[in-house]
Amino acid sequence: MYQALYRKWRPRTFDDVVGQSHITETLKRQVSTGRLSHAYLFTGTRGTGKTTCAKILARAVNCEHPVDGNPCNQCDACKGIENGSILDVLELDAASNNGVDQVRALRDEAVYTPAAVRKRVYIVDEVHMLSTPAFNALLKILEEPPEHLMFILATTELHKVPATIKSRCQQFSFQRILPGDIACRLHYVAGQEGIQLTAEGASLLARLADGGLRDALSLLDQCAGTDGPVDEQHILDALGLAGNLESAKLMGRVVQRDTQGALEDLARLYGGGKDVSTVLGELSALARDLLIRKTAPRSGNALLSGNWDEGTMRGLSEHFAAPRLVWILTVLQGVLSDLPRSSNRRTDAELCLIRLCDERLDESVQALSARLDRVEQQLSAGLPMQVQSTPIPSPNMEPGLEKAQDAPMERVEAPVAEKRSVQASKAADQESEPISRQQEVHVPTASTAGGGSADDGSFWQALSPALKDKVPRNAWIFLGNPAMVQGRMEPGVLTLWTDDELVKNAVSRPAVLETIRALAQARLGEPVRVQAKVGKAPTPVGAPAAAHDNLDDLLAMGRRFDNITIKE
């Protein structure tokens, strides 16, 4: 009968255990010197060697001829414990024996001396599954057991074990096994079993195992069922994974905002049998590595998963900003958590990719931050921006005007350098005009700004530039844009009129309002209260209409337009 690889190659001595030398050396020393504890608690993730070390320790303490703390596995005691013929060493599953009656029966039986070995050993696996009464029944014998009795408890969820149990045991924490150690063990097992495992295949299996050697051996067992070498592509096909190259290609589509290409890649992977949750999971892992590389370029290499080569990481990282990566990772994690409850997983995955390729379809704050960061990068680089808008046809539109209305509006290009040159030219022309033709500049004071007449906005225009370095950037983006925030000074109250609720929430944070209040009070010399409202700022009677500035519309992220495209 065929035996699974993880059972066939289970370590039989402490020296065979992979990646847990900090535990095995301590246990070997205790066995050699005879300084054994009456209770041990092994904790750690699945497949790291908890139950294996418990079985080795049970044989070692009863071995007739131990070798440097290891069991000899040749004496009658070792063979009897290993094949289960000696009933003094008992392995229990707390998941199915979690009641108080089972623990009481165990406690009553434990007082009898062993018949065939020196110590009676109870190995309780998944001990966190015991009920509260069962834990209470175990306390007394666990604290003061007979000399011939030893308990070895194992669990994957340490936080569910009561503190009263922990304090009565020696606790050993099993770490996740490093991918390099797992790959070396896989090469050894594959060589002994005659499996043609390539170095790339072993590295991929080690990464997929997530620190568990049992998972790695199970995956190798699954992929070795066909003829030929077990390489990276063979493993991806056998396990239904997209692969690193496909994940990087899909992320490249997101970089280019190529929605059509991303959907075509997903359809091809889906048609090839790849699971959409696996595809999005690999995309999330890549976004996580890119974010760590972006935020911690020096010390973050140790935190990377290592699934992608340096050239791929460098090429993708150059095209991403941290705000967009945070948003991408947030969207992916949210979709992955909802996929198990989805009625159409493919549709949810397609909607996720469409949102990742076009931030305008997401109304979250993270998406808005990513869009603003993109605009800032374009403006700082001096790149031109294009705004295209198609008007919505009116219900009363005459038939003859449909074609004229359907035509796109004239494109408005506003490079930063050109805008500055136009402003400088206007300033020079204004200086050349006579003084009588220039508009008189109004500098608000305590008497004018706080007077009874309506403010024309000059006080806020003089105050807002001083806020640039004193408020957070996400608030200054709105405060410094007259098209989105307008200030009006009334007696003792400065009101900030905003475009919508989102802008109001951004500028009405307590720290931002306090900063504005302090600056306004310092200028006026009297107490001022600051508030934010949604709506249109009131215009004083007789005041001339303010000139419209197209640059404000560009910085407002095209809120009044149907479509925005940026030349890259």
Side-chain angles (χ1 to χ4, degrees):
M1 180 178 177
Y2 180 75
Q3 191 175 21
L5 291 180
Y6 78 88
R7 294 183 59 196
K8 183 178 181 180
W9 291 97
R10 183 190 292 271
R12 302 183 65 204
T13 63
F14 288 122
D15 294 336
D16 294 336
V17 178
V18 178
Q20 309 296 344
S21 59
H22 63 292
I23 295 175
T24 56
E25 291 298 327
T26 302
L27 295 178
K28 286 170 57 178
R29 193 178 307 110
Q30 289 186 0
V31 173
S32 300
T33 59
R35 303 184 61 179
L36 294 167
S37 174
H38 64 279
Y40 293 89
L41 178 59
F42 293 164
T43 67
T45 57
R46 69 188 188 282
T48 53
K50 300 184 297 299
T51 306
T52 297
C53 285
K55 293 182 176 181
I56 296 174
L57 180 60
R59 294 198 303 270
V61 298
N62 290 305
C63 182
E64 299 174 2
H65 310 290
V67 182
D68 192 23
N70 288 303
C72 68
N73 296 318
Q74 301 297 327
C75 63
D76 294 338
C78 289
K79 292 181 179 179
I81 294 173
E82 193 168 11
N83 59 31
S85 61
I86 295 180
L87 301 180
D88 294 318
V89 176
L90 187 61
E91 183 177 356
L92 300 175
D93 180 18
S96 56
N97 299 278
N98 55 1
V100 64
D101 294 334
Q102 288 88 349
V103 175
R104 284 174 180 170
L106 181 150
R107 184 184 61 186
D108 295 340
E109 180 186 337
V111 297
Y112 297 105
T113 58
V117 291
R118 289 193 296 268
K119 280 186 176 293
R120 182 186 294 271
V121 182
Y122 287 101
I123 302 174
V124 184
D125 202 6
E126 302 299 333
V127 70
H128 65 273
M129 299 292 290
L130 290 179
S131 62
T132 301
F135 273 124
N136 294 333
L138 189 63
L139 281 178
K140 187 61 178 177
I141 192 171
L142 195 63
E143 182 178 12
E144 298 178 359
E147 187 177 353
H148 61 267
L149 187 61
M150 175 184 289
F151 282 96
I152 305 177
L153 313 178
T155 179
T156 56
E157 301 185 34
L158 180 61
H159 61 281
K160 294 184 179 180
V161 179
T164 52
I165 297 293
K166 298 178 187 177
S167 62
R168 289 166 170 81
C169 304
Q170 283 192 11
Q171 182 177 331
F172 292 90
S173 297
F174 285 72
Q175 302 174 353
R176 294 182 185 271
I177 305 175
L178 297 177
D181 296 337
I182 295 178
C184 291
R185 183 66 176 176
L186 290 177
H187 272 298
Y188 174 76
V189 173
Q192 297 296 319
E193 293 290 326
I195 301 174
Q196 302 179 26
L197 179 63
T198 63
E200 294 79 8
S203 299
L204 178 58
L205 290 175
R207 294 195 302 267
L208 294 175
D210 193 24
L213 185 56
R214 182 175 62 227
D215 291 358
L217 290 173
S218 298
L219 293 174
L220 176 62
D221 209 357
Q222 178 180 348
C223 298
T226 58
D227 296 333
V230 181
D231 55 8
E232 188 173 8
Q233 187 59 45
H234 178 81
I235 294 172
L236 295 176
D237 294 338
L239 301 180
L241 302 177
N244 301 339
L245 295 179
E246 293 292 348
S247 301
K249 182 179 179 181
L250 197 56
M251 186 63 76
R253 301 287 193 185
V254 176
V255 170
Q256 300 170 1
R257 294 176 172 84
D258 184 5
T259 305
Q260 178 179 347
L263 294 178
E264 291 175 352
D265 288 345
L266 180 64
R268 177 172 50 82
L269 294 174
Y270 184 81
K274 303 300 187 293
D275 184 52
V276 292
S277 61
T278 304
V279 174
L280 296 184
E282 294 178 358
L283 202 63
S284 176
L286 177 56
R288 178 252 182 197
D289 282 3
L290 290 172
L291 180 60
I292 291 179
R293 181 185 178 91
K294 200 75 176 180
T295 56
R298 295 184 179 179
S299 59
N301 290 333
L303 304 176
L304 300 179
S305 61
N307 295 351
W308 292 270
D309 59 89
E310 179 65 21
T312 301
M313 294 291 291
R314 186 187 306 110
L316 291 173
S317 179
E318 293 175 353
H319 296 84
F320 277 115
R324 191 182 182 200
L325 286 173
V326 171
W327 170 68
I328 289 175
L329 197 55
T330 303
V331 172
L332 287 172
Q333 291 296 102
V335 174
L336 285 172
S337 64
D338 295 336
L339 275 182
R341 301 182 298 273
S342 173
S343 59
N344 194 328
R345 296 156 59 88
R346 180 181 181 180
T347 301
D348 286 348
E350 291 172 342
L351 289 175
C352 176
L353 290 179
I354 292 173
R355 290 167 61 193
L356 295 183
C357 293
D358 192 350
E359 302 99 321
R360 294 169 301 173
L361 301 178
D362 193 337
E363 298 180 355
S364 65
V365 177
Q366 292 86 351
L368 179 60
S369 177
R371 295 166 61 189
L372 291 175
D373 187 81
R374 180 187 178 193
V375 171
E376 288 180 351
Q377 289 183 349
Q378 297 292 331
L379 292 177
S380 62
L383 298 178
M385 299 180 62
Q386 281 189 342
V387 177
Q388 292 181 345
S389 176
T390 303
I392 301 176
S394 172
N396 301 324
M397 182 182 298
E398 298 180 6
L401 297 178
E402 285 185 359
K403 294 184 179 180
Q405 291 290 343
D406 289 340
M409 293 180 62
E410 182 181 358
R411 296 183 179 180
V412 180
E413 298 189 0
V416 175
E418 180 181 350
K419 183 69 180 178
R420 292 176 178 173
S421 62
V422 171
Q423 291 178 349
S425 176
K426 288 183 178 180
D429 293 342
Q430 186 178 12
E431 291 180 359
S432 62
E433 294 179 358
I435 299 297
S436 59
R437 296 182 59 186
Q438 295 184 13
Q439 186 178 2
E440 185 175 346
V441 179
H442 174 68
V443 180
T445 61
S447 58
T448 59
S453 59
D455 179 30
D456 60 355
S458 58
F459 178 77
W460 173 249
Q461 293 175 7
L463 180 68
S464 57
L467 298 171
K468 183 175 182 180
D469 299 327
K470 294 182 173 59
V471 297
R473 190 186 70 170
N474 55 359
W476 168 247
I477 291 174
F478 302 114
L479 293 172
N481 189 350
M484 305 182 74
V485 177
Q486 297 179 356
R488 292 295 184 267
M489 189 66 198
E490 299 174 355
V493 179
L494 174 59
T495 304
L496 304 180
W497 294 92
T498 63
D499 255 2
D500 51 32
E501 196 69 29
L502 177 65
V503 180
K504 176 190 172 184
N505 293 337
V507 302
S508 62
R509 297 175 182 174
V512 176
L513 293 180
E514 177 60 25
T515 302
I516 298 174
R517 186 200 64 79
L519 287 176
Q521 183 170 322
R523 294 206 175 195
L524 295 176
E526 60 184 32
V528 179
R529 182 169 63 90
V530 183
Q531 61 181 1
K533 294 184 178 180
V534 178
K536 189 71 174 177
T539 303
V541 179
H548 183 70
D549 192 348
N550 288 330
L551 182 60
D552 293 338
D553 293 335
L554 296 176
L555 293 177
M557 296 296 299
R559 288 179 176 273
R560 298 177 177 83
F561 295 90
D562 295 328
N563 185 26
I564 295 181
T565 58
I566 298 180
K567 289 182 179 179
E568 299 189 0

